[in-house]
Amino acid sequence: MNAARESLARRWPALTFDLALLAVLLWVVWESTRPTFRGGHLIALVAGFAAALLLLVLVRALLAGQEPGLPIVAEEVAALAGAPAEGAAGASLPAWRHEWLAVGYTVALFALVYVLGTVLGCVAFVFGFLALHRPRGVLRNLMMALAVGALVPYLFGGPVGLHLWEGVIPTLIPGWIGGAPPPPL
Amino acid sequence: MVDAFWAGLERVLSAEVLLALLGGTVFGWIIGVLPGLGSLNALAIALPLSFYWPPVLAMYFFAGIIGAASQGGAITSILLNMPGEAQNAATMFDGHPLARQGKASWTLGISAGASVYGAFFGILVLVVLIPVFLPILLAFGPAEKFWVMVFGLVTLALSLQGDFWKGLVAVCVGILLTFIGIGGPGLVVERFTFGSSFLQDGLHLVAVVIGLLVVSESVAYLAMSVRGTTTARLVADLSHRRSFGAEVLDALRGLLVPFRYPATFLRGSVIGTAIGAIPGVGGTVAQFLSYNAAMSASKDPTSFGKGNPEGVVAAESAVNAKEGGTLLPTFLFGIPGNAEMALVLAAWQIHGIQAGPFFLERHADLAWALILGLFVANVIASLMTIGTVGLTSWVPRLDVGYMAPAVLVLVAISLVAIRGSVLDLGVGLLAGLLGFGLQRFGYPAIGTVIGFVLGGSIEQNYYTALQSARGSYAVFVASPISVVLLAATLLAPMVMLTLKLRRRAAPPLSRKRAG
């Protein structure tokens, strides 16, 4: 019984993902088979086929145990690099927390860019991240933040002439920071 | 085609093309040296820039990146025992022990030589096979094109790591993503736009591809940083460093080593080219297959993993020969041979260029730009590798904690720069989270990418075929080509799954590695 519980505890994230994906696929099938839908029957075919396969995968997973995830390239490199440095801030956390933190940081970066603009958002993100995870060397962190967060966007936006998002905050530096109207969805 | 080849060759020698090639090569080489990063990151960053260049110049730049990144990755494999890219992992097994024996420069020369010769082999095969396949392809109608893409996706799912059924699901998810927006078989209608004017145009190809492939990897890279992973240290003994001239001479001698192992080199190059031609299968598979084959064929297999130069030849020749192979399905069918080609296809689509049988007729200059660019980039990268052998100590102790946020920021900038729209950033983010989740739970994200890249063409050919036959499904089995492709699509999974089951039942090959 304990072994079964442990197995389920280990597998619930994957099962949750699979079920969520199945729910989306079934919803697509339902939407695309409504009489008022004029977008073609291929959608229902593809979604239905995928849903059927996923049901097969789920049944097999429930009966025989979930297969492990696939290696992500960066993790393969990490495995070859060796153990985390001693005293590293995140070293004591379980692996799944690192992933959730990384997801959170990614969302935070994109939110910062939306609000503050490309330049300020990137600088704030890099500096904030380094302040949390590489707290020694404030000046080095600031230089890094400015180099990556400001210099690179400047190169993209200046000499190359690409338009970079300025952010929804009030205008601080015209054309660079602030003043962009929220885009219509 | 021949005229285009000579024109391409002449163009390669022009200043602006050489500059683009050099720029891409240097950029790709540096990114390749950085552990955990690869040509995908470099291409993702460069993709928005390519909008502002003529397509041909952009192709030369991309060719530079693709051709050089794996050589850059080999350097860290050999010196740091840490692959710059996953496809350079097998190079470590013998490359690093050789470096520890004080033969770092010689080994870098072997790697550079095997890379260039392997790339040349792959490109030669491509050039020879294109005229063979082209007349056949011109006989393809919409039904045949539909089946070739379906067959390509099924073989892709078979070739990917992990579960075949999950691979197919991942591909289907990618195809479904292409249905978002305005479309349909008859009068176009809004599909899954939820009333959003932004989604009416569909999901931007570049944003989705970068999100699925690069943002997802960046998230994993960031997780490494959170975990506190630092660098691999430079282990090679540099206490007896010789003069720069002596190091370069050693490297030049290394260039000749692949010729001492002609069978290994040829076997590796054939494996690399063949694997490259199968959509979705990357250099990692090619490299390990070649390495294992070389070890099995060797008279002294126990010497592998302890500093056998033949191991480096096997690994590097396969990785670089595969580049020629990946161009074959990309040019002929519009099916990306690997993740890098998916981004190249994205760049073509942005410039309004469609891949397929007529691509080589209408855009021969682009094709030759990639082909010649790949070869020249390999040569330049080899020269760079040899030219920096005496400076191995400069390879810094890289802290992933600093690199990871920088990589994510660069990718975010690229997404914003696509159209100057922050909504593309949102698309990239969501695609990235989807890609991360897919990969984490066993669904190969590359399958989703290629499904997304091909989804539009699959739908277009499907409905065109049906309309040409006035709605009769018999059109999909009307021609011998369609029947053969349909049969292959159904048989391939059965054959491969049977082989997999047999392999699982067989005893595993033993392989020793040096500690």
Side-chain angles (χ1 to χ4, degrees), chain B residues 418-442:
Chain B
I418 292 170
R419 294 185 285 190
S421 168
V422 74
L423 293 176
D424 285 327
L425 190 67
V427 169
L429 169 65
L430 291 172
L433 296 178
L434 173 65
F436 184 74
L438 286 170
Q439 198 76 4
R440 170 54 63 226
F441 298 117

Side-chain angles (χ1 to χ4, degrees), chain B residues 392-484:
Chain B
T392 53
S393 59
W394 70 264
V395 177
R397 293 182 175 198
L398 301 163
D399 189 343
V400 174
Y402 288 97
M403 280 167 45
V407 166
L408 191 60
V409 159
L410 286 174
V411 173
I413 293 169
S414 292
L415 286 169
V416 170
I418 292 170
R419 294 185 285 190
S421 168
V422 74
L423 293 176
D424 285 327
L425 190 67
V427 169
L429 169 65
L430 291 172
L433 296 178
L434 173 65
F436 184 74
L438 286 170
Q439 198 76 4
R440 170 54 63 226
F441 298 117
Y443 301 86
I446 183 62
T448 307
V449 168
I450 297 183
F452 182 74
V453 170
L454 292 179
S457 296
I458 288 176
E459 184 185 23
Q460 183 187 17
N461 284 293
Y462 177 80
Y463 287 125
T464 305
L466 270 183
Q467 282 161 5
S468 68
R470 299 186 185 187
S472 167
Y473 290 96
V475 70
F476 292 108
V477 291
S479 74
I481 297 175
S482 293
V483 171
V484 167

